[in-house]
Amino acid sequence: MAQEEDIRTQDTNLEDFVADSDTGGRLPRDAFGKAALWYIPLVWSLYQLWIASPLPFILRIGVWNDTQTRAIHLGFAVLLAFIAFPGLKSSPRHRIPLPTWVVAVIGALASSYLFYNYSGVADRTGNPSGMDVAISIIGIVLLMEAARRSLGFPLMGVALFFLAYVFFGSWSGLPEVVQWKGASLNKAMSHMWLTTEGVFGVALGVSSGFVFLFVLFGALLNQAGAGNYFLKLAFAALGHLRGGPAKAAVIASAATGLISGSSIANVVTTGTFTIPLMKKVGFPATKAGAVEVSSSINGVLTPPVMGAVAFLMTEYVGISYVEVVKTAIVPAAISYIALVYIVHLEALKMNMPGTSRMHPVKFMLGAICIIATSIVIAGGTLFLCGVVVDAAQSLFGGAATWVIVAAMAVAYVAAVRFAAKGPDLEMSLESMEHLPPTKEIFKTGIHYLMPILLLMYLLMIERKSPGLSAFWSTIAMLVILATQNPLKAFFRGETDAVAHLRAGFADIADGLIIGARNMIGLAAAMGVAGIIVGAVTLTGIGQVMAEFVEFLSGGNLLAMLFFVAVISIILGMGLPTTANYIVVSSLMAGVVVELGAQNGLIVPLVAVHMFVFYFGIMADVTPPVGLASFAAAAISKGDPLRTGFQAFFYSIRTALLPFLFIFNTDLLLINVGPYQAVFVFIIAMIAMLLFAAGTMNYFMVKSKIWESAILLLVAFTLFQPGYFLNKLQPEFETRAASEIFDRAAAAPDGTSLRVRLIGENLNGDPVDARYLLPLGDAGPDGETRLFDSAGIEFREEDGQLFVDNLNFGGPSEQLGIDFDWELAELDVAADRLPKELFYIPAFLLLGAVYFLQMRRKREQTEGVPA
């Protein structure tokens, strides 16, 4: 009885932790307060579905521009942040005080000012009225308070720092290197609140247009039971292995990463079940919590959603969504595989029991085959869907859409009928220890895979916009929630189908409300991140950060990347995923581009953004502010700081990856063909497993120090074979600048040109650096292709080429290239030995370590001293 009471108390504490972090900890008991926190989130979700649908344009009702929809979006978020999140620990949790209501309404009105006074503000562009400025001040103050309530102080503190720099950055007491000319109150408020350069910029636009719908889709999917389905499926497949609960935690977190964009929610959703079971099979509390934290963090790094960062990256980098997914897939996949291997090595080191004692090599080969087969099946299914849709359009013409919808409905009903043959999955800790066979669990939730496949099909095959793809997938989820239980009741011969239908609509309402409440802090964070971005664009502080990092690193390339990584972790502490990415990319991506170019490091912009994103996310792990570690420790009853440090140790492989793909962009599948992509994935996976074995000091048996060192050397060689080849032969040859147009015209699709440019930056400092100009599809000539793809034009003067025009916001402008810079020379790939030759000595060294350890293992097994 006491044990059950402890479990209930722990569940209550975890619910409070998640509520305080994600959805709001206030639970009013009065009828008005309850109704407010039921109807307002519901209306917000319905509003977001409305603006995402084609209905406003068909009915010509509620057609607003992007700025107005962003304003309404932020108004809902600020209103809910005040009424759902208590302001202080001492604030009442069971009622909403009247002063809170007053401030909440004022905040909502100020946030939606650009909606109801859009034309007036537009007429006064550049010359705001006193009312405009007053509303802007009130709006910014209350927005930051909304962020503090919903997310804690860190993001508000960062925003206050940047606002202070806007107003006091001209103070003579500051070092000259960081001073700027300053801004008046009118100019600053207009920039931050009345234009799309600040709060109502790209970040809030992505939040309103894409992110809300994906969060809502995930909430509905979880409400339908998909989260429990994925968790049980992972445990049924892996629970019998050594350290099975930990391996299941990794896989389940990867699956729930599709549903949740929050690392904290991911930890609590899966950790409530996985952490107690990990402890039961022998994992210490800190290691059990650390495994869950590491796998949950990886869920945010995994396509297709990446905590909504995938959609922000398309806006900031200027590439398609499919390109972002392709870029992120290999690092995320090998990182997850390595974490499963780390868990396996921990189980071997602790001699954990398991009904299956599979050899580690056989285990990893089996896991790799399963993952590869799943990817092939998913890809093949999407391709087949594309073929069927094309055939339907050819056969049925304009009626094809209805035929396809009817076919999907038939497939869905068949999947639910198949699921109805077995009992529904229970959601309890006890049920995890007595699971039915994997195939029995699999058939209970096949219909959950259909909306996910629909989402992937619309994004990857049809290339629809993220917002439209999420909208139709969400509509599919609404249909599933309404019909799955009535259909199951019908197929089981039950007579209470109407009651199930009512329960289905109740689930829809709950899902819509949960989705909206999950967005409160996220939308507020996007708005506050806009303040930071606005400060960066207004003051030019990015240049100051570049000079600061250059000073710290002393011009050393690796030191520069290290300091950027550390600063990204510091900037990301306490921030949600999307706000984290916005802050670190706004401040640090330009630093890597500028200083890297000066030191000969030329990488595509997407690689730079991935670099800072990875290290920003590491802040969720790293003490003292690693919120995910605190959530895991609350479940495991372990020490939060020790859990955080252990999780950071497990996540070293994640911290290693950004350095590797900065120097070897093959890992991001940039300019890599399909067959080479498979080869890159296999080699990178082997390298990551060897890195894990080296850092864990265990391969076939416990490794000696020199054996671990060799494993790390082999891993480095596989990851970066060009490092050794560059010592023997130069990677590039110099060509005359005059060849640029011919080479641009002749280059294959999707490649880049490496150029050296000389000029002066805005501060008058000399610049002599190399840049990578992206080339898209072939054009009529080299000049046109350069402008269309790289956003740059050159003019000739006295036999020299100079930058004559830059496409605003284009790749070249984002790289920091400026007008009138001279094109000094081109770098073209040298004709040299293939770098893959260095794989041969690497694998020979690996073979030597393997045979030595296997001999030692046989001696230990036979009882002979090694």
Side-chain angles (χ1 to χ4, degrees), residues 316-336:
Y316 286 154
V317 181
I319 60 177
S320 69
Y321 168 80
V322 174
E323 285 297 313
V324 172
V325 170
K326 188 180 80 169
T327 298
I329 188 67
V330 168
I334 63 175
S335 188
Y336 256 121

Side-chain angles (χ1 to χ4, degrees), residues 331-419:
I334 63 175
S335 188
Y336 256 121
I337 291 171
L339 183 57
V340 173
Y341 187 51
I342 286 171
V343 167
H344 188 72
L345 294 178
E346 286 281 25
L348 290 174
K349 288 165 72 174
M350 289 185 274
N351 198 27
M352 289 183 181
T355 57
S356 172
R357 294 175 173 263
M358 192 180 295
H359 190 279
V361 174
K362 290 182 180 178
F363 168 74
M364 289 313 301
L365 288 174
I368 292 163
C369 289
I370 291 172
I371 292 171
T373 302
S374 301
I375 293 172
V376 169
I377 290 174
T381 303
L382 292 176
F383 176 77
L384 182 61
C385 289
V387 172
V388 171
V389 169
D390 289 342
Q393 289 174 341
S394 300
L395 289 172
F396 302 104
T401 300
W402 296 107
V403 173
I404 293 167
V405 170
M408 290 175 61
V410 170
Y412 165 66
V413 171
V416 174
R417 182 178 183 181
F418 190 57

Side-chain angles (χ1 to χ4, degrees), residues 751-808:
T751 53
S752 303
L753 276 181
R754 182 182 166 107
V755 300
R756 178 184 166 212
L757 294 167
I758 300 174
E760 289 185 354
N761 61 22
L762 293 175
N763 296 328
D765 299 324
V767 174
D768 185 348
R770 285 175 165 78
Y771 299 90
L772 211 59
L773 303 181
L775 299 175
D777 296 336
D781 53 65
E783 293 181 65
T784 303
R785 190 176 185 187
L786 279 168
F787 186 73
D788 290 344
S789 301
I792 190 169
E793 286 183 331
F794 294 95
R795 70 175 186 274
E796 185 177 351
E797 291 183 6
D798 300 326
Q800 296 175 300
L801 291 174
F802 295 89
V803 177
D804 189 50
N805 188 23
L806 291 167
N807 189 5
F808 180 73

Side-chain angles (χ1 to χ4, degrees), residues 586-646:
S586 299
L587 284 173
M588 305 311 301
V591 174
V592 178
V593 170
E594 182 176 339
L595 298 184
Q598 295 174 14
N599 289 273
L601 175 66
I602 313 298
V603 291
L605 192 58
V606 65
V608 175
H609 278 252
M610 289 287 292
F611 181 90
V612 297
F613 172 50
Y614 263 62
F615 281 108
I617 292 303
M618 289 297 291
D620 273 356
V621 177
T622 312
V625 194
L627 297 180
S629 299
F630 278 85
I635 302 171
S636 69
K637 306 300 181 187
D639 180 78
L641 291 180
R642 290 183 62 194
T643 300
F645 283 117
Q646 184 67 53

Side-chain angles (χ1 to χ4, degrees), residues 455-602:
L455 178 64
M456 293 298 96
Y457 172 78
L458 292 173
L459 285 169
M460 309 292 288
I461 306 298
E462 291 289 337
R463 302 291 180 98
K464 301 293 186 185
S465 70
L468 192 61
S469 302
F471 170 76
W472 288 116
S473 302
T474 301
I475 295 299
M477 276 310 310
L478 294 176
V479 172
I480 289 175
L481 275 167
T483 60
Q484 63 170 347
N485 289 327
L487 284 173
K488 285 181 181 178
F490 173 77
F491 289 127
R492 289 168 179 165
E494 300 173 4
T495 58
D496 56 349
V498 176
H500 282 299
L501 187 62
R502 285 197 297 267
F505 281 103
D507 284 340
I508 288 175
D510 289 343
L512 292 172
I513 292 166
I514 292 169
R517 293 191 66 164
N518 285 342
M519 270 299 299
I520 298 171
L522 192 51
M526 294 290 213
V528 175
I531 295 175
I532 298 166
V533 173
V536 172
T537 58
L538 184 63
T539 64
I541 194 175
Q543 181 63 36
V544 175
M545 294 295 294
E547 293 175 357
F548 177 64
V549 172
E550 186 175 22
F551 168 76
L552 289 177
S553 64
N556 181 275
L557 184 59
L558 281 175
M560 179 269 290
L561 291 173
F562 172 77
F563 283 118
V564 168
V566 171
I567 294 171
S568 296
I569 290 175
I570 294 171
L571 288 171
M573 285 184 175
L575 304 188
T577 303
T578 43
N580 184 327
Y581 167 70
I582 294 166
V583 172
V584 297
S585 63
S586 299
L587 284 173
M588 305 311 301
V591 174
V592 178
V593 170
E594 182 176 339
L595 298 184
Q598 295 174 14
N599 289 273
L601 175 66
I602 313 298

Side-chain angles (χ1 to χ4, degrees), residues 41-331:
L42 181 64
V43 171
W44 190 13
S45 288
L46 293 175
Y47 158 75
Q48 294 290 160
L49 287 171
W50 173 263
I51 63 172
S53 75
L55 289 177
F57 300 96
I58 295 172
L59 303 176
R60 300 187 181 277
I61 299 173
V63 180
W64 303 303
N65 63 39
D66 286 345
T67 304
Q68 289 176 300
T69 57
R70 295 172 191 180
I72 299 174
H73 177 79
L74 187 62
F76 272 113
V78 170
L79 176 64
L80 285 168
F82 278 97
I83 66 175
F85 290 84
L88 301 168
K89 287 186 177 179
S90 58
S91 300
R93 295 176 66 93
H94 300 297
R95 64 183 178 86
I96 305 172
L98 181 60
T100 299
W101 270 112
V102 172
V103 176
V105 171
I106 292 172
L109 290 172
S111 298
S112 54
Y113 183 63
L114 288 180
F115 165 69
Y116 58 81
N117 198 20
Y118 179 78
S119 59
V121 172
D123 291 340
R124 297 187 295 272
T125 300
N127 186 28
S129 67
M131 176 64 77
D132 293 340
V133 175
I135 290 290
S136 301
I137 294 171
I138 293 170
I140 285 178
V141 170
L142 295 184
L143 171 60
M144 288 195 295
E145 170 59 13
R148 185 198 66 80
R149 285 170 175 252
S150 55
L151 300 166
F153 183 77
L155 183 58
M156 178 185 176
V158 174
L160 284 173
F161 172 81
F162 281 95
L163 280 176
Y165 183 70
V166 168
F167 292 113
F168 305 111
S170 58
W171 179 47
S172 58
L174 291 174
E176 188 176 343
V177 69
V178 300
Q179 286 185 32
W180 81 292
K181 63 181 181 180
S184 66
L185 181 65
N186 282 14
K187 181 179 180 181
M189 291 300 99
S190 177
H191 186 83
M192 296 291 183
W193 198 258
L194 304 177
T195 71
T196 55
E197 295 295 321
V199 171
F200 298 97
V202 171
L204 196 63
V206 172
S207 177
S208 174
F210 309 152
V211 177
F212 189 103
L213 293 171
F214 277 91
V215 171
L216 181 59
F217 175 73
L220 293 171
L221 198 58
N222 196 49
Q223 187 72 19
N228 183 40
Y229 171 69
F230 291 138
L231 183 64
K232 296 287 178 67
L233 197 60
F235 265 87
L238 300 173
H240 62 286
L241 301 174
R242 282 189 174 187
K247 293 168 183 171
V250 176
I251 303 303
S253 292
T256 53
L258 295 170
I259 299 173
S260 169
S262 165
S263 55
I264 297 171
N266 205 347
V267 166
V268 174
T269 301
T270 57
T272 303
F273 300 98
T274 60
I275 291 175
L277 291 173
M278 279 190 266
K279 290 174 66 178
K280 189 170 183 177
V281 298
F283 277 91
T286 53
K287 289 189 176 182
V291 168
E292 182 58 48
V293 170
S294 298
S295 52
S296 295
I297 291 297
N298 259 77
V300 178
L301 299 172
T302 306
V305 178
M306 297 165 60
V309 167
F311 312 112
L312 280 167
M313 208 171 281
T314 62
E315 300 291 328
Y316 286 154
V317 181
I319 60 177
S320 69
Y321 168 80
V322 174
E323 285 297 313
V324 172
V325 170
K326 188 180 80 169
T327 298
I329 188 67
V330 168

